[in-house]
Amino acid sequence: MKMYSQRLCLEPLEPYHAELLFNGLQSASIYKFIEDVPPQSVQLLRDRYVVLARRQSPDGTEIWLNWAVWSLVHKCYVGYVQATITIDNSATLGYVFFPNFWGKGYALEAVKCMINYLVETYKNLDFRADVDVKNHRSISLLHNLGFVRSTFFQNIESNQDEFSHDVQYCKH
């Protein structure tokens, strides 16, 4: 189901989005604070999206919800948002926006839209988000959404062979 906010349309992520998001996901600055790397090819990204489009983990213990974010203003994709819902009624949130659209309020608007949908659809969720302590932009976003700092994780090894320090933020 598509969701709309004032300036955005959140489209359920499907394999065809790989072609549409691939170029935006190539910017190295996106991966400075997250444990991921730019997709190597459109086909590999499509393969990943085929799995995510199933909307649940193979063992059935997690619900995977992912949306490509379309700007109604700029008429292009600006990133994606995601939520993983587990059997303990927690929703771990994630979001990636293309650098050209940072600082425009799109992340706040899209994540707020996603949270509103999750609150209406799934009852009594606890929201979580893990953030690198140096990612001030993301921490500010979570504060603006009413999240509070909860747990600190030190020396987490990342895909970039470095160590990061993550903080978990929660909202009930």
Side-chain angles (χ1 to χ4, degrees), residues 32-33 130-136 139 163-167:
K32 185 173 181 180
F33 299 116
D130 297 331
V131 183
D132 186 296
V133 294
K134 296 178 194 160
N135 191 344
H136 302 294
I139 290 169
F163 288 96
S164 68
H165 302 290
D166 283 2
V167 177

Side-chain angles (χ1 to χ4, degrees), residues 145-164:
L145 290 166
F147 281 71
V148 294
R149 182 177 169 152
S150 108
T151 309
F152 179 74
F153 304 100
Q154 191 167 1
N155 294 332
I156 296 172
E157 196 166 349
S158 74
N159 287 339
Q160 287 90 7
D161 294 324
E162 298 172 0
F163 288 96
S164 68

Side-chain angles (χ1 to χ4, degrees), residues 61-130:
T61 61
E62 296 179 337
I63 298 170
W64 295 340
L65 302 172
N66 297 271
W67 292 271
V69 180
W70 174 264
S71 167
L72 300 169
V73 176
H74 296 285
K75 306 288 190 239
C76 64
Y77 288 96
V78 296
Y80 66 83
V81 294
Q82 59 189 40
T84 300
I85 301 173
T86 58
I87 54 176
D88 69 352
N89 254 11
S90 69
T92 302
L93 306 184
Y95 38 87
V96 169
F97 285 82
F98 308 149
N100 292 353
F101 300 98
W102 291 355
K104 298 185 185 321
Y106 287 137
L108 179 64
E109 190 173 328
V111 174
K112 190 182 289 188
C113 183
M114 175 177 61
I115 288 173
N116 289 341
Y117 167 79
L118 294 171
V119 166
E120 291 173 16
T121 308
Y122 302 91
K123 305 302 178 208
N124 303 316
L125 287 178
D126 288 321
F127 294 98
R128 300 177 185 160
D130 297 331

Side-chain angles (χ1 to χ4, degrees), residues 5 9 11 13 16 18 25 38 40 51 55 58-59 64 68 70 90 115 126 134 137 155-156 171:
S5 64
C9 175
E11 303 173 357
L13 191 70
Y16 74 85
L25 292 171
Q40 295 179 347
V51 173
R55 305 210 180 2
D59 65 4
W64 295 340
W70 174 264
S90 69
I115 288 173
D126 288 321
K134 296 178 194 160
R137 193 180 290 275
N155 294 332
I156 296 172
K171 178 179 177 164

